[in-house]
Amino acid sequence: MKFEGTAEYVATDDLLVGVNAAVTLERPLLVKGEPGTGKTELAVQVAGALGLPLIEWNIKSTTRAQQGLYEYDAVSRLRDSQLGDARVHDVANYIRKGKLWQAFEAETKVVLLIDEIDKADIEFPNDLLQELDRMEFHVYETGETIRARHRPIVIITSNNEKELPDAFLRRCFFHYIRFPDEATLRRIVEVHHPDIKDALLTAALTQFYEIREQPGLKKKPSTSEVLDWLKLLLAEDLGPEDLRATSGGALPRLHGALLKNEQDVHLFERLAFMARGAGRR
């Protein structure tokens, strides 16, 4: 079972090595990188390429590790007991299976995505150590032990918003998705916009990297944002000359796709003002 990339997803050689190493070691693959660099999509593409079902567990700030295993609905059981419902005699009727349970009991091997683990409380990764290591957990209400029929391929993503515990990191194979260089980004764009003209793409990527490298930028635009920007440029039928003729020479056309906060917009407006002032001298 080897991941070799897909036609829809441009994977670098080191990323392919990381995915296949994690599969061979049977350890979770921890993928970090800037938002919008394709971390979540990687799990989708791995599942598709290997012909495996995908189970997604999207983590929020309020998510608890226990929810990934199961939840016991004591309130519903109490209500049913008051109503005389016969279901109350079987506690299993009130056990809600979590994403790990679903992955463990699947008939075939699956890809389990634990998305944006760094959104949760700092103790969240530690609370999953044993379950991800041993591939089993105990259900106290029923007394049963749930073991994985087939060890899932676990892909965990993080936007690096907070540090993860060392004990958790030790159990993972780690890969950092670097922001793509221009050649790689060109390949990514051509997958999504195969009919884009080379002159427009060259002009757009030149301006895009100039924006990303601008000192003082609060949020650098990501891969997904440049794809959205190019989609708008194509929809407006803009050419490379339109990009060169940006307002004042600094604020890019359709900049709302790239600049996502007022601080960065004001930065480029100031640059445009300074450029106009220099041009009048």
Side-chain angles (χ1 to χ4, degrees):
M1 185 170 289
K2 188 174 182 180
F3 178 60
E4 297 178 342
T6 69
E8 296 80 25
Y9 189 86
V10 176
T12 57
D13 291 341
D14 58 338
L15 179 55
L16 295 178
V17 169
V19 171
N20 291 314
V23 172
T24 300
L25 293 172
E26 295 188 326
R27 288 190 177 275
L29 173 64
L30 174 61
V31 184
K32 288 188 178 184
E34 293 181 30
T37 50
K39 300 184 298 297
T40 301
E41 183 63 21
L42 173 64
V44 176
Q45 296 299 325
V46 169
L50 301 181
L52 302 176
L54 174 66
I55 296 178
E56 298 184 54
W57 186 14
N58 299 302
I59 307 302
K60 301 177 181 179
S61 60
T62 55
T63 304
R64 295 176 293 107
Q66 180 64 32
Q67 293 173 308
L69 307 180
Y70 69 93
E71 291 183 279
Y72 170 53
D73 192 351
V75 174
S76 293
R77 192 180 189 195
L78 176 60
R79 184 193 63 231
D80 289 347
S81 67
Q82 293 170 339
L83 297 174
D85 194 322
R87 296 175 70 248
V88 300
H89 300 298
D90 186 357
V91 68
N93 291 324
Y94 303 93
I95 300 293
R96 185 182 300 118
K97 298 176 181 179
K99 298 296 185 179
L100 263 72
W101 190 328
Q102 295 173 29
F104 286 4
E105 73 171 3
E107 295 291 338
T108 62
K109 195 178 191 71
V110 302
V111 174
L112 172 63
L113 169 63
I114 304 178
D115 201 24
E116 298 190 333
I117 194 172
D118 53 327
K119 281 187 176 180
D121 183 84
I122 189 62
E123 291 303 320
F124 180 91
N126 282 333
D127 292 341
L128 290 177
L129 285 180
Q130 179 172 307
E131 288 76 12
L132 291 176
D133 205 20
R134 299 183 181 180
M135 286 290 152
E136 66 178 38
F137 63 89
H138 187 70
V139 183
Y140 295 98
E141 289 77 6
T142 63
E144 61 182 322
T145 298
I146 306 301
R147 295 183 177 88
R149 296 182 182 180
H150 308 276
R151 193 177 187 97
I153 297 173
V154 181
I155 297 178
I156 303 170
T157 71
S158 168
N159 288 328
N160 223 8
E161 293 181 3
K162 65 167 67 92
E163 290 295 323
L164 299 174
D166 288 345
F168 180 80
L169 295 174
R170 183 171 61 81
R171 289 168 168 80
C172 298
F173 188 92
F174 173 77
H175 181 79
Y176 183 84
I177 297 183
R178 295 179 177 84
F179 193 83
D181 58 24
E182 186 168 342
T184 303
L185 187 54
R186 181 179 288 269
R187 290 168 54 205
I188 294 172
V189 170
E190 289 171 349
V191 167
H192 294 269
H193 303 295
D195 298 325
I196 192 168
K197 293 182 179 178
D198 186 68
L200 175 60
L201 179 55
T202 299
L205 292 185
T206 298
Q207 189 171 47
F208 173 72
Y209 278 100
E210 289 175 353
I211 294 170
R212 271 189 60 88
E213 294 164 6
Q214 178 61 48
L217 199 65
K218 184 176 181 181
K219 182 195 177 301
K220 295 182 178 182
S222 68
T223 308
S224 61
E225 287 159 344
V226 73
L227 292 175
D228 288 344
W229 184 51
L230 287 168
K231 184 176 181 179
L232 291 174
L233 296 180
L234 292 170
E236 295 293 326
D237 197 25
L238 298 178
E241 63 282 354
D242 297 307
L243 298 183
R244 300 187 191 103
T246 52
S247 176
L251 196 64
R253 296 289 293 268
L254 300 166
H255 61 269
L258 299 174
L259 306 177
K260 297 303 177 74
N261 60 69
E262 63 277 11
Q263 177 179 315
D264 290 343
V265 173
H266 292 333
L267 171 64
F268 278 87
E269 286 175 341
R270 289 195 299 272
L271 292 172
F273 178 77
M274 293 168 61
R276 288 195 296 271
R280 287 195 293 266
R281 293 196 188 101

